[in-house]
């Protein structure tokens, strides 16, 4: 099975709507393909999140009992005829705007929840983590031995991916340490570079360009055919880019333009 075939079936697999034959061929693909496995795991997590959101969402008790006890909405067994739209949106509802509005809110909230980017917090969390590292609230494994740090980080994600590395020695910045952080069940490999009054924290994790926050401004590098997403918060600047299924976010006290120029210079298109 190829990736595009597998990806077409992933939603069906999450919803347990595949045949046994489809299941076994997609499962054997997922075993070998990290990228599709990541998409599958993300869909599963999203489904769990939606389920949990639905469970947290409660209509006011009075409205709830009104809706549930209304035979025109939920007819008893003797009156189960009529289409589901007639049952769910009976004509009387439109004559009672307040109740109709309340019902719409109850129905629409989960949809809005679904439309919300599920992964937006991870990129903004990176800025937060950088701030905490600089402020000493998160302690990193201090080492200038990048190989040692790298091996430790790769083990922390069971060898699924490796941290992205940058040689910033030309800017007098050297690796200072690293840590592994988990945001919404996703592991990020974090490497800190420092020197010359500057610091850069590099976050590597499995993801897609959807992990860029909506506030980001997008820069398309024609030569490298890559998109770079710049965003800032609390005086720190960040640039996100994707290499295959790996997302890299660099956060720094450098100016946004300087950081973007640096990332573009270091990145090799995959
Ligand atoms: Zn695949």
């Amino acid at each position: 099975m190829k990736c595009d075939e597998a990806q077409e079936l992933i939603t069906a697999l999450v919803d347990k709507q595949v045949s046994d034959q489809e299941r076994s061929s997609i499962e054997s693909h997922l075993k070998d393909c990290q990228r599709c496995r990541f998409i599958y795991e993300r869909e599963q997590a999203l489904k769990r999140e939606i389920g949990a959101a639905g469970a947290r969402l409660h209509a006011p008790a009075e409205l709830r009992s009104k809706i549930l006890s209304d035979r025109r909405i939920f007819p008893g067994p003797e009156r189960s005829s009529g289409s589901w739209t007639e049952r769910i949106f009976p004509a009387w509802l439109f004559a009672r705007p307040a109740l109709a509005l309340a019902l719409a809110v109850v129905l629409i909230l989960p949809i809005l929840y679904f439309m919300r980017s599920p992964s937006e917090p991870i990129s903004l969390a990176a800025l937060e983590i950088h701030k905490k590292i600089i402020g000493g609230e998160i302690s990193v494994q201090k080492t200038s031995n990048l190989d040692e740090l790298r091996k430790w980080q790769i083990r922390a994600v069971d060898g699924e991916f490796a941290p992205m590395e940058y040689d910033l020695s030309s800017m007098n910045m050297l690796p200072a340490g690293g840590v592994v952080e988990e945001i919404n069940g996703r592991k990020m490999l974090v490497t800190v570079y420092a020197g010359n009054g500057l610091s850069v924290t590099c976050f590597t994790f499995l993801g897609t360009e959807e992990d860029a926050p909506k506030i980001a401004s997008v820069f398309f590098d024609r030569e490298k055919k890559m998109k770079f997403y710049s965003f800032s918060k609390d005086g720190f600047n960040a640039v996100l880019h994707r290499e295959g299924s790996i997302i890299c976010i660099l956060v720094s006290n450098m100016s946004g333009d300087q950081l973007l120029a640096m990332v573009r210079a270091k990145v090799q298109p995959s």
Side-chain angles (χ1 to χ4, degrees):
M1 181 175 274
K2 287 184 186 143
C3 288
D4 50 351
E5 295 173 275
Q7 285 168 21
E8 260 176 42
L9 285 173
I10 279 173
T11 310
L13 181 67
V14 170
D15 293 333
K16 298 191 169 68
Q17 286 172 344
V18 287
S19 68
D20 288 346
Q21 197 193 344
E22 284 171 328
R23 168 187 299 279
S24 69
S25 56
I26 191 174
E27 278 178 349
S28 77
H29 179 86
L30 292 180
K31 224 171 268 164
D32 300 329
C33 178
Q34 176 181 284
R35 185 173 163 73
C36 289
R37 193 167 62 242
F38 168 72
I39 294 171
Y40 171 63
E41 281 164 7
R42 215 169 80 145
E43 289 234 3
Q44 267 187 323
L46 185 62
K47 189 176 172 161
R48 275 198 302 273
E49 255 192 88
I50 292 165
R56 281 197 299 272
L57 194 71
H58 293 293
E62 197 196 345
L63 171 64
R64 224 177 130 78
S65 66
K66 235 179 195 169
I67 293 171
L68 290 176
S69 65
D70 196 312
R71 291 274 155 250
R72 286 167 297 189
I73 301 178
F74 295 102
E78 76 282 6
R79 290 195 49 196
S80 60
S81 60
S83 75
W84 69 272
T85 43
E86 280 168 317
R87 270 179 280 147
I88 292 176
F89 303 111
W92 62 263
L93 201 52
F94 299 100
R96 298 167 75 174
L99 186 53
L101 181 66
L103 186 56
V105 167
V106 170
L107 291 172
I108 287 166
L109 269 185
I111 297 169
L112 290 178
Y113 189 90
F114 181 82
M115 285 166 66
R116 177 188 76 108
S117 163
S119 41
E120 180 161 313
I122 199 165
S123 46
L124 296 175
L127 281 159
E128 211 50 49
I129 290 168
H130 173 82
K131 202 168 124 185
K132 285 182 177 164
I133 290 173
I134 300 300
E137 278 178 72
I138 292 178
S139 53
V140 297
Q141 186 134 326
K142 287 196 179 63
T143 178
S144 55
N145 185 337
L146 207 52
D147 268 350
E148 205 173 87
L149 178 65
R150 190 182 161 82
K151 278 183 195 145
W152 170 66
Q153 288 178 322
I154 293 173
R155 268 201 307 276
V157 291
D158 301 324
E160 293 230 343
F161 60 101
M164 242 176 238
E165 275 174 39
Y166 294 90
D167 180 358
L168 306 180
S169 56
S170 61
M171 304 175 77
N172 293 319
M173 271 190 276
L174 294 170
V179 72
V180 178
E181 286 285 312
E182 196 168 321
I183 308 291
N184 300 336
R186 296 165 70 188
K187 284 192 174 147
M188 294 174 119
L189 304 183
V190 185
T191 309
V192 182
Y193 300 81
N196 227 6
L198 295 173
S199 63
V200 171
T201 306
C202 170
F203 298 83
T204 311
F205 54 97
L206 288 174
T208 66
E209 285 175 42
E210 309 240 312
D211 287 314
K214 290 199 181 67
I215 54 161
S217 46
V218 187
F219 179 88
F220 181 66
D221 186 321
R222 281 169 194 283
E223 199 189 313
K224 294 186 165 149
K225 296 193 172 60
M226 287 176 77
K227 280 182 184 166
F228 295 88
Y229 299 82
S230 302
F231 50 100
S232 328
K233 200 183 163 197
D234 302 333
F236 293 109
N237 298 303
V239 173
L240 175 153
H241 78 278
R242 179 179 64 84
E243 295 185 31
S245 54
I246 305 288
I247 293 293
C248 170
I249 300 177
L250 291 179
V251 183
S252 179
N253 56 347
M254 274 187 231
S255 78
D257 289 345
Q258 205 183 353
L259 184 65
L260 177 63
M262 188 200 83
V263 182
R264 284 177 58 203
K266 301 282 177 195
V267 165
Q268 298 302 320
S270 51

